[in-house]
Amino acid sequence: MRPEAEFMTAASVSVRAATDADRANWNAFAEASPAASFFHLFEWRDIMRDVFGHRTHYLLAEQAGRVCGVLPLAQVKSRLFGHSLVSLPFGVYGGVAADNEAAALALETEAQRIAQSLGVDHLEFRNVTARHTDWPTEDLYVTFRKELSPDVEANMNAIPRKQRAMVRKGIKNGLVAKFDADNARFFELYSDNVHRHGTPALSRRYFDTLRATFGERCSVMTVEGPDGAPLSSVMSFYFRDEILPYYAGDAEAARDLAANDFKYWELMRHACERGIRVFDYGRSKQGTGSYSFKKNWGFEPAPLHYEYCLYKRDSLPRNNPSNPKYKLMIEVWRRMPRSVANTLGPLIVRNLG
């Protein structure tokens, strides 16, 4: 360890609430910290507050006048789904990003103090690596990440044979991928797709805010059929040397034409040509279709460690479609007119995160 690092570790850590004036330093730390993710960027604070109406608690740790850790938190309060403090709603990754253990512990200690003062049911850290082995942990989710070759053809050849055949089927079907200037086609496909699955859609305003907020860090790619009809679309995030295809939607015709397979290959090819090193396929629930789909691409699942500090409950929250108690609600939602579902959906999903 360098002398400077030894000094920083030994120096006392101070933790305070971040302000707008800290935005640049916060983001500079997030960009440099191996423990940070796209969801640690300061801009998510504004989105949590302005789009979803959640109260935020963005904690900044400092040592010797320098940022040494960050912890983004949002309070989600709902009569239906409970009261929680989460790092971070709508993000697959979260928790503490810190230079050293002293800073990480200081941030987590302050988070627990805030959680108790707010009277939440639980505190949740969406960690990539385990930190509290004595805390209840949700083991439902895994993430899929893979390093890309700098050579496009090498990436094609790395796709397992059966999945590669599906990509080539999409190519033979005359599909075309285009980057869209707005979210119109994406939102139509996305909202239709989640409605068919019986789950509420996020608002068009949310997606428009993502693009307005993150600019070139956020893109939408849409696959068209030979007739120009949109079949499949994906919204992706860019962070450091990574691409994260994050929100997606497909038309019912997409499956027979292999549009979904073609879409992800085109995004992978684009990432390779742009010099991006890591393709982050994102989170899936174990045992689901999306889990199997990603494995078919040759990606290996890595467990996510969503750790909970429970205050007013004795078991983990199960606010996801896998919970049997939501089966009837899902069936009702599927039968609801989509225009109604798109109006009501944002009011419900804002409290799920």
Side-chain angles (χ1 to χ4, degrees), residues 4 9 16 30 39 42 79 82 91 93 136 143 159 176 205 216 244 260 271 277 281 286 291 324 338 341 348:
E4 180 186 5
T9 303
R16 61 177 176 83
F39 304 98
F42 197 83
R79 290 183 179 179
Y93 312 128
T143 189
I159 302 171
V176 177
R205 179 191 171 206
E216 292 184 353
L244 298 82
N260 199 32
R277 187 179 63 85
Y281 236 142
Q286 298 191 59
Y291 176 95
R338 185 149 62 96
I348 297 173

Side-chain angles (χ1 to χ4, degrees), residues 235-267:
M235 175 177 281
S236 302
F237 300 135
Y238 302 82
F239 182 68
R240 295 195 288 240
D241 56 355
E242 305 173 8
I243 186 169
L244 298 82
Y246 203 68
Y247 294 108
D250 309 290
E252 291 187 86
R255 184 182 182 89
D256 290 341
L257 294 170
N260 199 32
D261 311 87
F262 177 79
K263 174 181 68 183
Y264 287 113
W265 163 246
E266 281 295 294
L267 192 64

Side-chain angles (χ1 to χ4, degrees), residues 199-310:
T199 55
L202 290 154
S203 68
R204 171 70 187 267
R205 179 191 171 206
Y206 169 60
F207 295 111
D208 290 346
T209 301
L210 288 174
R211 296 197 73 175
T213 299
F214 292 113
E216 292 184 353
R217 289 181 182 267
C218 180
S219 71
V220 165
M221 173 186 278
T222 300
V223 172
E224 299 176 353
D227 59 355
L231 295 169
S232 187
S233 191
V234 58
M235 175 177 281
S236 302
F237 300 135
Y238 302 82
F239 182 68
R240 295 195 288 240
D241 56 355
E242 305 173 8
I243 186 169
L244 298 82
Y246 203 68
Y247 294 108
D250 309 290
E252 291 187 86
R255 184 182 182 89
D256 290 341
L257 294 170
N260 199 32
D261 311 87
F262 177 79
K263 174 181 68 183
Y264 287 113
W265 163 246
E266 281 295 294
L267 192 64
M268 193 176 292
R269 184 178 64 80
H270 152 77
C272 175
E273 292 176 346
R274 183 168 161 168
I276 291 170
R277 187 179 63 85
V278 175
F279 194 90
D280 187 330
Y281 236 142
R283 183 181 80 178
S284 289
K285 292 187 283 289
Q286 298 191 59
T288 62
S290 67
Y291 176 95
S292 299
F293 179 80
K294 293 170 186 178
K295 283 210 72 175
N296 289 343
W297 281 78
F299 284 62
E300 287 302 316
L304 290 172
H305 302 270
Y306 288 8
E307 297 176 343
Y308 294 78
C309 189
L310 306 180

